[in-house]
Amino acid sequence: MDFVTMNILESSMVSLCKEMGIVLMKTSYSTIFNEALDFTCGLADMNGDMIAVADYCPAQIGGMPLLVKSCLKEIPIGEIEEGDVILHNDPYRGGLHTPEHTFFKPIFVDGEIMGFAVAIGHIAEVGGMAPGGFCGEATEIFQEGLRIPPVKIKKRGKDNIEVWKLLLANVRTPRVNYGDLRALIAAVDLGEKQMTQIYKKYGKEKIKETVNDLLLYSERRMRAELEAIPDGIYAFSDKIESDGIDADRTYTVAVEVHKRGGEIIVDYHGSSPQASGPINATLGVATSAAYNAVLHMTDPTIPRNSGCFRPIRVMAPPGTILNVDFPAPEVGGNTETHPRIVGTILGAMAPAIPNRVMAAEGATHCNFVFGGVDADTKEFFACYDLEAVGWGGRAFADGNDGVDSINGNCRITPVEVYETRFPWRIESLAFNVDAGGAGEYRGGVGYSKQMLCLNDEIICSQMTDRHLLAPWGLNGGTEGGVGATLVMKNGRDDWQTMREAYGKASTSRYSNVSIRRGDRVRLVTPGGGGYGDPAKRDPAAVAEDVREGYVSKAAAQKHYGYQEA
């Protein structure tokens, strides 16, 4: 291996992936791109293996190799021409969930395909039965929006007009969708252009050789990390509180991690049969979640590419919530079930590597989606809004406060932007006191966001979790706080759940609720579980939590024996 050239090339490719993301952010229309950064940009070789990626969304990073390989099965290399751009979002063709759109563009050098520039992004409005793409009561994939098999949205550098017409005719916000799709194309255009220059600089054969070395280098480093973990079979399970259809039924996420030498097998047998509602995960999601968990337990300096995934295998029985069969719904699998899988794997590995795992995090993106006709502009709007949660305490530090769930790495939309773009007034946004589980290291806290409706009507739906089943603690730490979605209708002075106010089956998963002018909505996000015996917590840290408002005096006295000075 030529380590100097390999490191220069790897750094150049990762920097290019970051530039692709900046272009996407700066040219997009929707807040989920230009504020939340719910996208990932990467590069793949001609076999579909990921060779470089920027640090955007872990769920998409882990899903990228399967996505590209799936596309190449339907559109073979021989049918791809210079200037083509291929689009794909079908969860049952290796995709993650319906809103996730993947674009990839071939990189030609001297008439030969050398690889692909790839961009994956969450389109805010995808049609279906609920504005914003998250139908919490869907019972089949057809209700979740337009599914797009691998198709050429551009052929030889020119728009495929028929495909564009089909895409824009099936969504509520064609202008915004057009802008976001163009932003994704701009990202892969940049990736293809710049990577072509890199090939010309170093030569095709040199880059082929160096990329192969890079993949092998990542694989060897990952195997070395895994070899340092004690061999054994480690099991753990967690529960999802409902599927939005049967509110009184819980669903089990079961994991057995088989660790031997430099390999690891993640076995999901024992998980519940697939649900009627949209909490199911596709095989791509279940695989990506396993990759995500292992990356969180190993050296973060290992280059992220398909090489580091080679020692990780996944076994997911078909027809379960972790490998759903067509045509069941699945939109929540990528946002809600994925982080639950990661947390379950971390819980399984806690006895083996206690210093590298955390207690349960909030494990939800809140996924509050809405749309309607703006009373002032008369234009239809739609938004996919995600919120942050508390992370679990660790063996050496408290959990993070108000951070996106473990598979997202996204930002929340600033209040000023939110109020400018949509007819809501944000009346309060504040951390939740006592929401982090107690422990030697406490869990992180979530927050509450209270909104006043300023439109005649806004149609709201949601896909979230942890309203009933709290995030678990580790090694004596207590549970974190649960979340909630509450509404105060205009003229009332009390808060109600969606079940109480609208007769919905679930408080956390519902569709097409009509929020009227003057109504208020409060979103409460869950905290993280605590780590370790609360009696061992540093009294100075307890006093600081009370002083800063993270923990009340009463809770500090109960869990830590706090006495005010």
Side-chain angles (χ1 to χ4, degrees), residues 173-379:
T173 56
R175 183 182 67 85
V176 174
N177 281 55
Y178 179 81
D180 286 346
L181 295 174
R182 284 293 184 197
L184 285 157
I185 292 173
V188 296
D189 282 346
L190 176 66
E192 179 264 342
K193 178 182 178 181
Q194 297 291 78
M195 197 62 196
T196 299
Q197 295 303 313
I198 293 174
Y199 270 99
K200 290 181 177 179
K201 179 179 179 179
Y202 291 96
K204 293 189 294 185
E205 294 307 315
K206 183 63 174 178
I207 290 187
K208 279 184 181 179
E209 177 186 339
T210 305
V211 164
N212 288 335
D213 287 345
L214 176 62
L215 297 178
L216 181 60
Y217 173 71
S218 292
E219 178 184 356
R220 287 176 174 174
R221 287 194 58 186
M222 178 59 75
R223 289 189 186 279
E225 285 285 298
L226 295 178
E227 285 170 357
I229 299 173
D231 286 353
I233 299 175
Y234 304 96
F236 197 79
S237 66
D238 199 358
K239 290 189 178 294
I240 298 172
E241 62 191 30
S242 78
D243 67 345
I245 305 301
D246 186 348
D248 297 321
R249 180 181 175 185
T250 60
Y251 296 81
T252 300
V253 175
V255 168
E256 264 190 7
V257 179
H258 296 248
K259 161 60 186 58
R260 184 170 65 180
E263 294 187 348
I264 197 166
I265 299 174
V266 180
D267 186 350
Y268 297 126
H269 84 270
S271 297
S272 292
Q274 67 188 50
S276 299
I279 62 169
N280 302 298
T282 63
L283 180 60
V285 171
T287 302
S288 175
Y291 294 161
N292 188 4
V294 174
L295 290 177
H296 273 87
M297 296 185 293
T298 51
D299 188 341
T301 67
I302 298 174
R304 289 170 176 78
N305 55 48
S306 288
C308 70
F309 298 151
R310 290 171 181 167
I312 308 165
R313 291 195 291 162
V314 172
M315 298 177 65
T320 65
I321 61 168
L322 302 190
N323 187 3
V324 62
D325 285 337
F326 179 85
E330 49 64 63
V331 69
N334 196 43
T335 62
E336 307 304 293
T337 307
H338 179 131
R340 193 59 58 82
I341 299 169
V342 176
T344 306
I345 295 172
L346 296 181
M349 298 306 295
I353 46 174
N355 293 332
R356 293 197 175 193
V357 302
M358 65 177 178
E361 49 121 358
T364 178
H365 295 274
C366 202
N367 299 317
F368 183 70
V369 301
F370 56 85
V373 178
D374 191 292
D376 295 327
T377 66
K378 308 304 179 185
E379 184 176 354

Side-chain angles (χ1 to χ4, degrees), residues 426-445:
I426 310 300
E427 296 184 316
S428 66
L429 182 65
F431 282 135
N432 300 324
V433 180
D434 298 333
E440 181 178 4
Y441 296 101
R442 69 162 174 82
V445 300

Side-chain angles (χ1 to χ4, degrees), residues 90-130:
D90 190 348
Y92 285 105
R93 284 178 161 92
L96 301 175
H97 64 172
T98 310
E100 223 84 84
H101 287 52
T102 300
F103 286 73
F104 69 108
K105 185 176 185 179
I107 300 167
F108 275 83
V109 181
D110 300 329
E112 180 184 3
I113 292 182
M114 305 305 298
F116 300 92
V118 187
I120 306 174
H122 185 121
I123 298 294
E125 164 54 30
V126 292
M129 66 183 289

Side-chain angles (χ1 to χ4, degrees), residues 499-547:
R499 174 183 281 182
E500 294 166 339
Y502 296 97
K504 294 296 183 179
S506 169
T507 67
S508 56
R509 296 174 175 87
Y510 56 89
S511 299
N512 294 327
V513 163
S514 177
I515 303 295
R516 302 283 182 173
R517 187 182 297 272
D519 293 348
R520 287 176 167 84
V521 175
R522 178 183 291 169
L523 306 175
V524 181
T525 70
Y531 190 104
D533 185 354
K536 296 181 180 179
R537 186 162 178 80
D538 184 351
V542 177
E544 182 179 4
D545 282 342
V546 172
R547 185 169 60 251

